[in-house]
Amino acid sequence: MQKGELLYKGKAKSVYKTDDPDQYIMLYRNDTSAFDGEKVAQLDRKGLVNNHFNAFIMDKLAANGVATHFVKLLSDTESLVKRMEMIPVECVVRNLSAGSIVRRLGVPEGLDLNPPTFEFFLKNDALHDPMINDFHIISFKWASADEIQQMKTLTFKVNDILKDLFAKAGMLLVDYKLEFGRYHGKVMLGDEFSPDGCRLWDAKTREKLDKDRFRQNLGNVIESYEVVAQRLGIALPK
Ligand code: UDP
């Protein structure tokens, strides 16, 4: 697989073309950002940890019937993915209240949400990822009604699979964000699943083990990601 030109540099990952027009290389960098790119840092091993973490989760999801863009690991910081046309919305499911829902709705952190909530946000840092609904997505033609339904169904299916996976490893999946795209017209899960894009709490102590450690200056950010990986049985190179 030949690595071609840099196509896109995001806040934490870079995407490269390959000699196959249907496949891209995703490079996980150590760059870390929060608050729509306002707070940034370099965290040693973050690219490696998130790349391996994502590969494990994507394989787990695929084994449980969720189609994803992930093809295979290429190196400690690179993965081969299918070239998708991304849908510019973020799908967020919450099992417990935390983060923006606490600020927006004035509810306490840590409430059990039963049933879990589902929210769409527009992927746009300059606008601070505003919350949108199905009507915006259809009217502005970001996705069709059928694609919206598929994104909701797949996001909740991911919840069933991952809530259970993390519970068995002693953790609560508080919330997470997914992004979808189209591969030859079929809706598939894209982007990444790592502690950068979800909230994970220790089930007993409710200690935060995710990117809130970076957002809230709690320290031991990547050390906590590595604890999560270890509990899941993900083998990370030294
Ligand atoms: N999230 C993300 N990228 C974003 C916004 C949110 O990965 O641009 C994740 C975030 O890590 C959390 C979930 O989506 O797991 C819900 O985020 P929330 O709406 O609470 O926003 P936050 O307070 O995290 O900015």
Side-chain angles (χ1 to χ4, degrees):
M1 181 58 58
Q2 196 66 37
K3 191 166 168 181
E5 71 173 278
L6 174 69
L7 202 69
Y8 172 78
K9 188 172 182 201
K11 296 194 290 293
K13 300 189 290 297
S14 303
V15 180
Y16 294 85
K17 283 189 176 174
T18 70
D19 45 15
D20 179 344
D22 257 357
Q23 298 194 318
Y24 286 158
I25 291 171
M26 206 166 239
L27 169 72
Y28 286 74
R29 309 194 313 271
N30 287 342
D31 299 315
T32 308
S33 73
F35 311 121
D36 305 314
E38 275 169 34
K39 177 174 177 171
V40 293
Q42 282 276 318
L43 297 179
D44 202 31
R45 278 175 69 79
K46 199 195 79 140
L48 175 149
V49 172
N50 280 1
N51 185 40
H52 282 276
F53 197 102
N54 176 68
F56 176 87
I57 297 287
M58 291 281 172
D59 278 343
K60 190 67 70 182
L61 295 176
N64 285 278
V66 176
T68 86
H69 71 155
F70 178 76
V71 179
K72 62 175 182 179
L73 278 174
L74 291 177
S75 72
D76 279 343
T77 54
E78 293 165 307
S79 286
L80 189 64
V81 297
K82 298 187 178 95
R83 178 176 72 98
M84 293 206 296
E85 181 195 342
M86 292 305 291
I87 297 171
V89 305
E90 302 182 338
C91 301
V92 172
V93 158
R94 301 175 194 271
N95 295 305
L96 292 146
S97 58
S100 73
I101 204 167
V102 167
R103 297 190 295 274
R104 275 183 285 119
L105 305 185
V107 295
E109 184 180 82
L111 289 183
D112 265 310
L113 303 178
N114 199 1
T117 64
F118 182 98
E119 296 160 334
F120 280 124
F121 296 91
L122 178 64
K123 199 172 157 62
N124 187 322
D125 276 345
L127 299 178
H128 304 293
D129 294 352
M131 194 195 283
I132 52 174
N133 66 32
D134 306 33
F135 288 87
H136 300 111
I137 296 175
I138 293 169
S139 298
F140 293 107
K141 300 189 168 48
W142 291 317
S144 68
D146 178 55
E147 288 171 332
I148 288 174
Q149 193 48 52
Q150 289 187 59
M151 289 193 286
K152 288 180 183 171
T153 303
L154 286 166
T155 303
F156 279 114
K157 186 164 181 182
V158 167
N159 200 35
D160 291 340
I161 300 163
L162 296 189
K163 229 174 27 177
D164 185 55
L165 180 81
F166 287 113
K168 285 185 173 133
M171 290 170 280
L172 296 169
L173 177 59
V174 174
D175 59 28
Y176 57 92
K177 181 263 302 177
L178 301 181
E179 293 179 29
F180 294 89
R182 305 175 190 96
Y183 180 71
H184 296 294
K186 185 174 177 331
V187 174
M188 286 187 193
L189 178 62
D191 191 48
E192 73 178 276
F193 193 102
S194 74
D196 266 5
C198 69
R199 288 192 170 90
L200 294 165
W201 294 352
D202 179 88
K204 284 210 185 83
T205 65
R206 297 210 161 192
E207 184 189 1
K208 294 175 172 155
L209 300 168
D210 54 72
K211 197 156 98 175
D212 271 350
R213 299 204 71 84
F214 175 68
R215 293 190 190 95
Q216 301 174 7
N217 301 312
L218 300 174
N220 291 332
V221 181
I222 302 307
E223 290 82 349
S224 298
Y225 290 19
E226 299 214 32
V227 166
V228 176
Q230 194 193 356
R231 287 191 191 180
L232 291 173
I234 302 171
L236 293 172
K238 281 282 155 238

